[in-house]
Amino acid sequence: ESKVVSGVAFSRDEAKVTLTQVEDRPGIAAAIFGPLADAGINVDMIVQNISDEGHTDMTFSCPVEQVKRAEKAVNEARDRGEISFAGLVADTDVAKVSVVGIGMRSHAGVAAQMFKALSAERVNIKVITTSEIKISVLIDRKYLELAVQALHDCFELEKAG
Amino acid sequence: ESKVVSGVAFSRDEAKVTLTQVEDRPGIAAAIFGPLADAGINVDMIVQNISDEGHTDMTFSCPVEQVKRAEKAVNEARDRGEISFAGLVADTDVAKVSVVGIGMRSHAGVAAQMFKALSAERVNIKVITTSEIKISVLIDRKYLELAVQALHDCFELEKAG
Ligand SMILES: C[C@@H](O)[C@H](N)C(=O)O
Ligand SMILES: C[C@@H](O)[C@H](N)C(=O)O
């Protein structure tokens, strides 16, 4: 029910970076995020879905202004032979929108409502990541205002801004 | 630093279900999670990475005992023509392990440490999803004890159990 959801959060200047087709074996995630940490990248979301034929994609989000530095750190790790990937896809036109709640344990219902509200506005969901208290998606930045309003309406929240 | 991490959480009887190659267009996520909510599935993690040629994989985790019911709900949605997917992959041999912290905003450092600790034990990371306060991974259940111990050691935490 909408009481479960306490707010909508968003981050306008988000970017996502994806290393496509990294090897799905122990040590690879560490070999990607070690250099990113050393480079001072403020990683927010980290998303890895299941692998296919021993490879998977690794996506992370960070502030738009850190993308170049993040790509450099990842490319240098590859140049040192620490990781390999098919491609490095940076997208600086996304925004992050999240629905925040308490005890969203049975949150298929909240997730379904959130996704339905976005689809009603034809906003495409590009990446999804969740925790018990937060369902976050990345969408095209141009839809941010529309998405935030739709979610406030859906969950009957007062818009703060 | 390890003060940022306050604990290690885990869920032993987790399962993951992946719908491979769903269409990446508005309405699909809602069409998957609506039926799951109606079927009373306790969805915990939801993971969607970027799409490739208009398709992407959708993964969610739920209790092992709900997998059959979840698969049924998803198959029925497909039979009604509401969604399409290439395959439905259920994995009942995973466990969820999370590192919990406050203000892990610059959490590339914490993530790197977590991933390094798991790789040192040769534990493969199958799925990753994050929020500011939690980095969660799915691993093979047989490594759960090992993973939890490794993370407690890495972050210098007292083991509760
Ligand atoms: C892909 C990456 O997560 C790999 N499975 C690892 O364990 O590091
Ligand atoms: C794949 C799914 O998330 C789709 N992009 C949607 O918006 O519903």
Side-chain angles (χ1 to χ4, degrees), chain A residues 49-52, chain B residues 17-23 28 32 55-60 74 78 83-90:
Chain A
N49 207 334
I50 65 169
S51 62
D52 183 29
Chain B
V17 178
T18 302
L19 284 68
T20 58
Q21 302 304 293
V22 300
E23 292 170 86
I28 297 300
I32 293 169
H55 288 81
T56 187
D57 294 344
M58 185 72 75
T59 294
F60 60 91
V74 165
R78 185 193 47 191
I83 51 169
S84 67
F85 45 87
L88 187 52
V89 183

Side-chain angles (χ1 to χ4, degrees), chain A residues 63-104:
Chain A
V64 169
E65 63 270 19
Q66 291 192 330
V67 169
K68 284 277 165 273
R69 183 152 45 122
E71 288 184 295
K72 182 163 178 289
V74 165
N75 280 318
E76 287 174 358
R78 186 194 47 190
D79 294 343
R80 291 191 298 269
E82 294 164 6
I83 51 170
S84 66
F85 44 89
L88 187 54
V89 183
D91 181 351
T92 52
D93 290 326
V94 291
K96 179 184 174 191
V97 186
S98 306
V99 159
V100 184
I102 310 282
M104 297 202 294

Side-chain angles (χ1 to χ4, degrees), chain A residues 15-72:
Chain A
K16 64 173 166 68
V17 178
T18 302
L19 285 69
T20 58
Q21 302 302 295
V22 299
E23 293 171 86
D24 182 21
R25 61 178 174 81
I28 296 301
I32 292 168
F33 291 93
L36 287 171
D38 294 342
I41 306 303
N42 283 346
V43 168
D44 182 36
M45 297 161 97
I46 298 173
V47 185
Q48 175 194 325
N49 207 334
I50 65 169
S51 62
D52 183 29
E53 299 189 355
H55 288 82
T56 187
D57 295 344
M58 185 72 74
T59 294
F60 60 91
S61 75
C62 65
V64 169
E65 63 270 19
Q66 291 192 330
V67 169
K68 284 277 165 273
R69 183 152 45 122
E71 288 184 295
K72 182 163 178 289

